[in-house]
Amino acid sequence: MSDTHAQSVAFVRETEIPPSPPPVAQAGAVKWVRENLFSGVFNTVLTLIALYVVARLAIAVFPWFYNGVWEAESIRDCRDQLDGATGACFAVLVDRWDHLLFGFKYPQDGYWRILLAFVLLMAAAAPALFQKLPRKMLLFTALYPFLAYWLIWGGSLWMPVTLLALVIATGLVFQLVARQISVDMRKIVSGVIGVICGVGLTYLLFIGAQELVFIAGSVGTEGIVSSVAYGLFWLMAIFTFALCVPMGIFVGYAIFNSYEDGGLVSVVTALLFIYVALTYLLGPIWMALNGVFPIELQEVASRDMGGFMLNMILGTVCVSLSIPLGILLALGRQSSMPLIKGVCVVFIEFIRGVPLITLLFVANVMLAYFLPPESNFDLILRVIIMITMFSAAYIAEVIRGGLAALPKGQYEAADSLGLDYTQATRLIILPQALKISIPGIVNVAVGLFKDTTLVSIISMFDLVGMIRGPIQNSTEWISVYWEVYGFGALLFFVVCYSISQYSQWLERQLNTSHR
Amino acid sequence: MTTLADPHTESFRPSMLLNDTRYRSLTFQFIALVAIIAAMAFIGGNLVRNLTEAGLNISYDFLGAQAGYDINQRPISYDSQDTHGRAAMVGLLNTLIVAFLACVTATIIGVLAGVLRLSPNWLVRKIMSFYVEIFRNVPVLIWILIIFSIMINAAPAPRDFRGDDPSASMWLFDTIAVTNRGVYLPKPVWGSGSLLVVGVFIASIIGIFMYRRYARKQLYDHGRLVPTFWPSVALFFVPVILAQLVMGSPISLEYPELKGFNFRGGVTILGSLIALWFALAIYTGAFIAENVRAGILAVSAGQTEAAAALGLRPGRIMNLVVLPQALRVIIPPLISQYLNITKNSSLAIAVGYMDLTGTLGGITLLQTGRAIESVLLLMLFYLIISLSISFIMNIYNNTMKLQER
Amino acid sequence: MKKSVFLGALTVAGIVAGGASAATLDEVKARGKLNCGVTTGVPGFAEPDAQGVWQGFDVAVCRAVAAAVLGDGNAVEFVPTTGKTRFTALASGEIDLLARNTTWTLSRDVDLKFEFIGVNYYDGQGFMVPKELGVASAKDLDGATVCIQTGTTTELNLADFFRANGITYEPVPIETGAEAVQQFIAGACDVYTTDASALAAQRANFEDPSAYVLLPEIISKEPLAPLVRHGDNEWADIARWTLNSLIAAEELGVTSVNLEELSAGTENPEINRLLGTEGDLGAMLGLDKDWAKRAIGVAGNYGEIFEKNIGASTPIGLARGLNAQWTDGGLIYAPPFR
């Protein structure tokens, strides 16, 4: 029976029909265009508007680029060459290339140092940015600040080397006091350190009290505000004066008392060691070493930094300094101690509430009055201090978000394991919170890097300052605008775009690991 | 029988201040307090010493002294005979004006760009990504300078309107003049009876709200969709125009006219204000676009699909389903963008807009030499503005929060 | 002593430089460099060239003082300052001398506690307008939009001038000269006002300088003078007499060309006293005999400096005018060297 069926059908297809090509309108470029550009009236209108805008921009900008003059001595020369045509005068970039990148005072034969420092920065940042790279590379990251300092500022190599040695030695001292020596031995150390610290603190507080009396005296009692301030300062002076001895004894005792677990005394010993080494050891040692094996680069003062390099230096230094500060602030804001919490909240909200430019004004016109008369901080250093404080406040908020995002169970689990606050924070909380916060921190870093251009307003010659100051005011290039601003925008775009692409990549990495 | 003995009550020992967690935090805070006071003593002592050495003092008397300089945008009456204090107030108002305008515009641009970045149209999507990336990754100071340059060079100068065959002309039947000094708009002149027209206008606005409430009630109670858009438009315009005609045009317009060096008459929006306003709005708009996009993406695709299954059109889905939910994600970062606009408006100094930084932190500081006082006041003003914005916006945010049941 | 306790750690970290409280002369000598405040760039007065070397009329004063004190006209650290930062920089000791076309006024001298050491350029505030406006006098500027560079005495003079003449104006405050020029050329303001010297200097670089005219009115006196801090009179004397030596050199005909020849000794006792071959004026200042010779040797006398940086042969093209020697009918006058 089955045969009949087969015979009743005239033709049985034994292979599949090859798929016929889709209609022209449904395939290839046409389909893509239809789906992506002209699906529906609204989209078509949008596309046409967009095309019009792009075309207008292209028509406006293209001749300007195309006619650009690359070789000229001055803007007048440029105009002569263009002879009335629309065109850019890119010659300014050629002529002032070094100034735009490095400022006009950095020694020209030292540009390789900056470039090397920049390349090494990439190498140093890589292990911190990419988790997959071998962890041993972090060693180089730790060495990098010392190396970069030497490359950029110059001077003797022995200075950063001895500083590095000091850091290592401090670590060793800490280890020694905390772990290596016997309890009896530590008891002696604690006693000595405790006495030193106690006496030192008493002396400091005594001076502080005198200082407060001095301030009160100069505030005077004219008017209500002055009188209140006068009273407050006297009150604080009395408070400090009354406390200088008990406080010294108490802190000294506290240090001595920690001989059993060694926590406090090892920290204080390490700090004291740093102080003593910085004051009395470091200078003579590196000078002596340099006398024997002189390895020197030409020294460059920090006010000679300029151009895009200054933006890079400010950005990198301030971000790296502000991360630890930001962590401390974030932890302080989470603290259960009202005073600590209050101080952190006030600091963060104050900094976040005022524009960076006012803080730079503070660095520029006020900070000098807050420091001892005989001190004279470099402007760049004052600016670094203020920008670091600024970015620390923002980073603290990002990290606070990270801390808040951690499940409460993590804190409780850490407690139940019997870890104390330091251990729990260091081993459980921070590693997780920081990991969540990295994209946010990177965003703050990008924003901060862009904000470093504001230093141009307080007469520092960064990229923008260089353009608005020496270049636009020079006899040769007096009314050059688009070329230099465009170049500045391009430089920033390249750097910031790369960083933000990294941040987005990282966010994707983090997202997948959560699911 | 075992009696439950009271736990051994420890008497207080000094070492407990360190070792007992109950007291330790107190100790820390006490030490911190002393440290803060010591730091204050250090800073204050230096300040006093430095000031004495330089022969200066801290005094705010200069705020009452004659300023002597003119300001081009005066929301309150001011001339060079007024005090530095009044100049600072003018500056403060100017800061608020530019910040407000830029916030509103940035929100509009941001929402538009954020939504368009998710548009199915490839070209539009790419253009919007280009816009967002290029503005987010270049410093705002450079943008302000570039946009200011564009405005100055692209818009015609008043001299171009002059002559028999001017190269530039006014817009909208010679009522609006766009120049590189600013935009000159017609100014309403309030004749007698204009109060009535204004009254009608206010009444029609109230009417629009009433009508919309009615429409919503109809929708909820009876499921009837009452059209709202065209009736609202009609309510907005018709009664006012009628009143204006009936009363014999009590409100007339004063048009800007080229007289002497400048356009006179009408309302002037200064070029520096426009440049700063747009620079801030476009720059911040790029950030808001990213927030909006993230907010929209945070609404799960199921919501969109469910709405589509109910038969809603794409526009409705966006307006009724996605945006209201996305708003909760968008608002907190939006607050900080508003704060950023306010703070970035201090860069007005680069385009010569006389905001707070330009008056109090600029010319006043320079003329009086009172650097410390001026900078402190400046920071105080900005702090107050920032805190008020975040306070108001946080209240709004709390009302918008998901009412969890 | 107290401070050193607080600062101990900082000091050795190399952050803290020498103090402002010591005598400025000793400090400059110890440092080996003169910190001199200049502008961030005004053509002809102070601008770094393509090699990054500062050039200009104000810069020459810095170099002369450095040469007199340290013996090397290049031993100068130029610190760029804006209108806002210049006084703080000087008051806080960041710079030793401010040579930044600063107008000598009573309030700056007395209230801000500075010491002006003598005028090196007599300027006045002028107006520049496009020729096509057909304005002949500043009194015709009623209702005009005026571009002003902020951070100077300019705003105040302008307000006073317009008020005194009962006419109105729209001020457009601009931060840098370059941006003011940009606005002015684009027609965003009708008038550009600043010191007449700067107007001339900037006009020289316009695409079409002949399309713009300077109005005849000079509405203010702007004696531009270098300044130092109040209170260190020895240092002020050195700066003042270095400037005077440049001026006297021109009057006496001492130039960079004949300097060596004349310093061998001449018939003119005043030249001899100036160049240290007679008397010992240098010792009175705490310097050596050759101080003035070195100062003049850097870039020549006042006239030479003027001609080289802003004179008629430069793109700036300023005439001597008020800044001619008193013997030529100008105001430049040095007290006698004796």
Side-chain angles (χ1 to χ4, degrees), chain A residues 4 11 16 127 145 153 166 185 210 263 307-308 314 353 381 401 403 431-432 445 452 479 487:
Chain A
T4 52
F11 170 74
E16 233 176 89
W153 275 270
L166 173 70
M185 190 64 188
Q210 281 185 337
F308 193 59
L314 285 178
L381 196 78
L403 290 173
Q432 300 186 68
T452 55
S479 39
F487 176 70

Side-chain angles (χ1 to χ4, degrees), chain B residues 138-157:
Chain B
V138 172
V140 64
L141 181 59
I142 294 186
W143 276 125
I144 291 177
L145 291 169
I146 289 181
I147 289 178
F148 189 51
S149 288
I150 291 179
M151 203 204 68
I152 284 179
N153 290 302

Side-chain angles (χ1 to χ4, degrees), chain A residues 262-483:
Chain A
L264 191 58
V265 65
S266 26
V267 172
V268 174
T269 315
L271 287 177
L272 266 183
F273 175 75
I274 291 182
Y275 178 78
V276 171
L278 270 180
T279 321
Y280 303 108
L281 294 178
L282 200 66
I285 289 181
W286 76 257
M287 279 179 198
L289 277 172
N290 199 47
V292 183
F293 311 101
I295 306 178
E296 279 182 351
L297 283 176
Q298 188 189 348
E299 210 165 324
V300 185
S302 46
R303 65 157 61 106
D304 292 351
M305 313 284 158
F308 193 59
M309 174 183 85
L310 180 60
N311 295 108
M312 292 291 287
I313 293 178
L314 285 178
T316 331
V317 171
C318 295
V319 168
S320 7
L321 289 179
S322 60
I323 288 175
L325 192 58
I327 293 175
L328 287 183
L329 281 172
L331 289 175
R333 201 173 174 166
Q334 294 262 308
S335 159
S336 55
M337 296 181 250
L339 184 77
I340 306 273
K341 185 175 175 170
V343 169
C344 289
V345 168
V346 168
F347 179 84
I348 291 174
E349 292 304 325
F350 172 75
I351 297 276
R352 278 160 44 92
V354 299
L356 177 58
I357 185 73
T358 57
L359 293 176
L360 292 178
F361 286 163
V362 170
N364 200 353
V365 301
M366 275 170 69
L367 217 54
Y369 290 108
F370 290 148
L371 296 167
E374 62 265 30
S375 72
N376 196 355
F377 276 67
D378 228 38
L379 178 59
I380 198 173
L381 196 78
R382 285 178 289 176
V383 164
I384 286 179
I385 294 175
M386 293 318 280
I387 299 186
T388 303
M389 278 164 60
F390 180 76
S391 66
Y394 284 82
I395 286 181
E397 283 300 276
V398 171
I399 294 176
R400 185 168 75 115
L403 290 173
L406 276 195
K408 214 170 169 229
Q410 297 289 333
Y411 292 87
E412 286 160 359
D415 282 348
S416 68
L417 283 175
L419 300 180
D420 65 20
Y421 177 78
T422 334
Q423 289 167 326
T425 312
R426 192 163 58 87
L427 300 171
I428 311 276
I429 308 302
L430 272 187
Q432 300 186 68
L434 283 183
K435 194 184 165 199
I436 313 174
S437 318
I438 290 178
I441 293 178
V442 172
N443 281 346
V444 172
V446 171
L448 183 85
F449 177 55
K450 289 186 294 173
D451 281 347
T452 55
T453 50
L454 298 198
V455 299
S456 66
I457 292 181
I458 54 164
S459 76
M460 285 173 83
F461 287 152
D462 76 318
L463 183 59
V464 176
M466 205 70 212
I467 293 171
R468 297 181 76 202
I471 293 181
Q472 286 184 344
N473 284 309
S474 66
T475 338
E476 290 94 10
W477 304 110
I478 189 150
S479 39
V480 166
Y481 304 99
W482 308 103
E483 295 84 355

Side-chain angles (χ1 to χ4, degrees), chain B residues 251-374:
Chain B
I251 302 178
S252 56
L253 290 177
E254 180 195 297
Y255 298 109
E257 246 183 293
L258 190 60
K259 273 186 202 157
F261 295 101
N262 270 318
F263 282 91
R264 300 278 183 89
V267 182
T268 314
I269 305 172
L270 282 183
S272 51
L273 169 64
I274 296 176
L276 186 65
W277 166 14
F278 277 92
L280 289 177
I282 300 175
Y283 177 78
T284 317
F287 288 86
I288 295 179
E290 277 301 274
N291 297 336
V292 169
R293 191 175 76 111
I296 292 174
L297 289 178
V299 178
S300 76
Q303 295 285 325
T304 320
E305 285 159 8
L310 286 175
L312 292 179
R313 276 178 276 120
R316 281 260 155 92
I317 295 178
M318 189 50 89
N319 284 335
L320 297 177
V321 179
V322 178
L323 274 186
Q325 296 187 62
L327 221 48
R328 281 197 287 273
V329 185
I330 296 171
I331 287 179
L334 198 62
I335 300 175
S336 59
Q337 293 304 342
Y338 286 171
L339 290 174
N340 282 344
I341 288 185
T342 317
K343 284 180 274 172
N344 283 339
S345 73
S346 59
L347 296 178
I349 201 167
V351 293
Y353 179 71
M354 296 301 279
D355 74 333
L356 196 53
T357 318
T359 54
L360 179 64
I363 303 180
T364 294
L365 187 157
L366 290 169
Q367 302 300 0
T368 60
R370 296 276 174 196
I372 298 176
E373 298 89 334
S374 299

Side-chain angles (χ1 to χ4, degrees), chain A residues 76 79 99 104-105 210 278 303-304 361 364-365 372 374 381-382 459 461 468-469 473-475 478 481, chain C residues 3 7 12 15 19 41 43 47 49-50 52 54 77-78 80 82 84-85 88 94 175 178-179 182 205 207:
Chain A
R76 287 176 291 275
R79 287 188 195 126
H99 291 192
F104 60 82
K105 281 167 87 186
Q210 281 185 337
L278 270 180
R303 65 157 61 106
D304 292 351
F361 286 163
N364 200 353
V365 301
E374 62 265 30
L381 196 78
R382 285 178 289 176
S459 76
F461 287 152
R468 297 181 76 202
N473 284 309
S474 66
T475 338
I478 189 150
Y481 304 99
Chain C
K3 294 296 115 185
L7 272 179
V12 278
I15 298 165
E47 53 171 327
D49 63 12
W54 283 90
E77 188 72 45
F78 289 100
T82 65
K84 187 171 290 162
T85 62
T88 330
E94 196 180 333
E175 224 199 347
E179 277 152 21
Q182 182 190 17
N205 291 300
E207 209 166 342

